[in-house]
Every structure is written in structure tokens, then in C-alpha cells.
Amino acid sequence: RGLHALLPSVEPHIASHPTHTLPLCCSIARVTMVKHNNIVPNAHFHKDWQRRVKCFFDQPAKKKSRRLARAAKAAAVAPRPVDKLRPVVRCPTIRYNRKVRVGRGFTLEELSAAGISRKYAKTVGIAVDARRRNRSVAAKQANVARLQDYKARLVVFPRGSNQKPRGGDAAPEDTASATQISGINTIAKPDATPEFASIEEARAAGSAYKSLRINRAEAKLVGPRWKATQADD
């Protein structure tokens, strides 16, 4: 609208000066739009990513150093196990509670049921978690059995430089034949083989569809039948 109001005032100036061109404010620029409904180009090519690339060429050497560190740690604590004994617990929430994993430590109830005190458990490589609670009888019994099995295989060496066994220490022949055991927290996978049974007896008993329909009808007619009996009375 401003351009149309400006052109008449410019025409006399152009007529008196034919060599002059239109002022800059009167020039009409032709803009070419992109075709189709495509995304607006907004490429980022100035990130200089080559200077921030990190290559892990030392991965094989790190793998070897970790293996040697594990071997050195096992040799330093031998003949004791490298890891502490931990319970088998179920993962939280409905989504993951079908899976079992290694927990943080045994509860005080599990230790008491296995006949192990809290202080003694920490000295023989048993992890203790005083915050966890037992909400499943089956899980508690499984962890108690786990503690009892560990206690039966436990070999306690004499403390310090004393070579004479005290109360609770193992016999010299047991300490001489003791070996370091690895993988004490390995969880055995249950047998997932399905069980098969014959369905001939169920077929001979009658039709399952017929039984469902009869039970459904019985449930729907409870109210009308009760109302009919009240009317008769």
C-alpha cells in the first residue's frame, strides 16, 4: 500500500531525469520460494565434531588389566571367597517380580532362623542388610536354606598367628585341604520343562462350554429366583 502511494511522486522525477533509476525503497525484489511442503533447511555443519571424537584403542589392554586385577584380588584373599554370600531376591514392581537376582544382604530374621548372629555373619563373609524385610515365606525359607548350606561348608581358620583352633574354628586337616571357591552367588535356573497330562478324563466329565453357560445362567438368575420366593411368601 505504501509503494502505490510513493510511485506517483517518483514518476515526475524519473521523467526529468531519464537516466536515473528508481530509489532503493521502490525496487521490487523477486523472492523464490521452495517447492512442496518440505522441511525448512536448517543443517548444522559447524560443530567441529572431529576434535571431540574419543577412540577406545586401549580396550584390549583394559580387559587384560581387569582380569589381572581380579586374579590379584583373589590371590590376596585366598582361600576366602572373593565375594560375600548374598541372598536371592525378586525384582521390585509387577513388571519385573517374575525375575530373581542377587540381593544386598540377608535380613536379621533369616540370620536368626539359620542360627547365625549379625556380628558373626560379617566376619565369615555373609552380607547383612538390616533394612530389608521378609514378606514371602517361600523366599525366606530359600535364603535360610542358602545360609545353612554355606554354614555347613564353611571352614574357619584360626585368628591371627594362633595356630590352635578355638571354639568354632575348623580342624587342622580341614584347613589344610581348604580351597578357594568362586561363583558363590550364582543363581541356579529352575527347570522350565512343561508338564503334560492327559485330558481324556476332563473330556469324559462333560463339555466345558456347557458348564460355563450353566454357571453363567445360575449367576444371572439368583436375583429373579430370590424375588420369586419373596413374592410367594
Side-chain angles (χ1 to χ4, degrees):
R1 184 175 297 177
L3 182 62
H4 290 295
L6 183 62
L7 285 178
S9 61
V10 175
E11 289 177 355
H13 177 74
I14 298 175
S16 59
H17 301 82
T19 58
H20 290 184
T21 59
L22 286 174
L24 182 60
C25 61
C26 301
S27 61
I28 301 176
R30 183 179 181 84
V31 180
T32 304
M33 295 298 295
V34 295
K35 294 182 178 180
H36 311 297
N37 189 22
N38 299 328
I39 188 172
V40 178
N42 189 20
H44 299 259
F45 295 118
H46 300 284
K47 293 184 179 298
D48 198 15
W49 61 270
Q50 293 90 343
R51 299 183 62 181
R52 290 185 291 272
V53 171
K54 185 174 179 60
C55 298
F56 297 92
F57 295 118
D58 59 344
Q59 187 271 334
K62 290 291 185 180
K63 179 180 179 180
K64 182 178 179 181
S65 63
R66 288 193 299 268
R67 178 174 57 83
L68 296 177
R70 289 193 298 268
K73 180 181 179 181
V77 300
R80 294 177 294 176
V82 178
D83 301 324
K84 293 183 178 181
L85 182 68
R86 301 187 184 276
V88 177
V89 298
R90 289 199 172 270
C91 300
T93 69
I94 298 176
R95 182 175 183 179
Y96 300 105
N97 62 4
R98 68 184 183 277
K99 298 182 179 180
V100 294
R101 63 174 178 85
V102 176
R104 180 183 180 90
F106 291 92
T107 61
L108 302 182
E109 296 180 3
E110 294 169 350
L111 293 173
S112 178
I116 302 174
S117 64
R118 178 178 182 177
K119 293 183 179 180
Y120 180 74
K122 295 181 178 181
T123 62
V124 292
I126 299 176
V128 180
D129 186 9
R131 298 176 298 178
R132 187 167 65 87
R133 299 291 182 265
N134 291 108
R135 294 185 173 88
S136 173
V137 177
K140 178 183 176 181
Q141 294 176 352
N143 286 326
V144 170
R146 185 179 178 89
L147 284 171
Q148 292 175 349
D149 180 66
Y150 181 82
K151 185 179 178 181
R153 296 184 298 155
L154 184 64
V155 177
V156 181
F157 282 69
R159 290 177 289 272
S161 60
N162 186 15
Q163 299 299 326
K164 296 181 180 180
R166 300 180 182 179
D169 294 345
E173 54 271 14
D174 295 335
T175 58
S177 60
T179 57
Q180 188 179 38
I181 300 176
S182 61
I184 60 174
N185 290 320
T186 303
I187 301 176
K189 294 183 178 180
D191 188 11
T193 304
E195 298 181 0
F196 297 93
S198 177
I199 60 174
E200 297 299 331
E201 297 180 359
R203 287 181 176 178
S207 173
Y209 176 75
K210 184 178 180 180
S211 301
L212 289 174
R213 298 297 297 183
I214 292 175
N215 293 333
R216 180 174 179 267
E218 292 288 343
K220 291 182 65 176
L221 294 175
V222 169
R225 287 175 178 174
W226 178 82
K227 188 175 182 180
T229 57
Q230 296 295 324
D232 295 339
D233 295 339

Coordinates of all heavy atoms in Angstrom, one line a residue, residues 7 90 127 144 152 176 191 227:
L7 N 4.7 5.8 -5.7 CA 5.1 5.8 -7.2 C 4.7 7.1 -7.9 O 5.4 7.6 -8.7 CB 4.4 4.6 -7.8 CG 5.1 3.2 -7.5 CD1 4.4 2.1 -8.2 CD2 6.6 3.3 -8.0
R90 N 13.6 -61.2 44.7 CA 12.9 -60.9 43.5 C 12.9 -59.4 43.2 O 13.0 -58.6 44.1 CB 11.4 -61.3 43.6 CG 11.3 -62.8 43.6 CD 9.9 -63.3 43.3 NE 9.9 -64.7 43.1 CZ 10.1 -65.3 41.9 NH1 10.3 -64.6 40.8 NH2 10.0 -66.6 41.8
A127 N 26.9 -61.2 53.8 CA 26.4 -59.9 53.7 C 25.1 -59.7 54.5 O 24.2 -60.6 54.5 CB 26.1 -59.5 52.2
V144 N 17.2 -69.0 54.0 CA 17.6 -69.8 55.2 C 18.4 -71.0 54.8 O 19.4 -71.4 55.4 CB 16.5 -70.0 56.2 CG1 16.9 -71.0 57.3 CG2 15.9 -68.7 56.8
A152 N 27.4 -75.1 56.5 CA 27.9 -76.5 56.5 C 29.2 -76.6 55.8 O 30.0 -77.5 56.2 CB 26.8 -77.4 56.0
A176 N 43.8 -77.5 56.0 CA 44.9 -77.9 55.1 C 44.3 -78.2 53.7 O 45.0 -78.0 52.7 CB 45.7 -79.1 55.6
D191 N 14.1 -75.5 36.4 CA 13.7 -76.3 35.3 C 12.4 -75.8 34.7 O 11.4 -75.8 35.3 CB 13.6 -77.8 35.7 CG 13.4 -78.7 34.5 OD1 13.6 -78.2 33.3 OD2 13.0 -79.9 34.7
K227 N -36.4 -63.1 44.2 CA -37.6 -62.2 44.2 C -38.9 -63.1 44.1 O -39.9 -62.7 44.7 CB -37.5 -61.3 43.0 CG -38.5 -60.2 43.0 CD -38.2 -59.2 41.9 CE -39.3 -58.1 41.9 NZ -39.0 -57.1 40.8

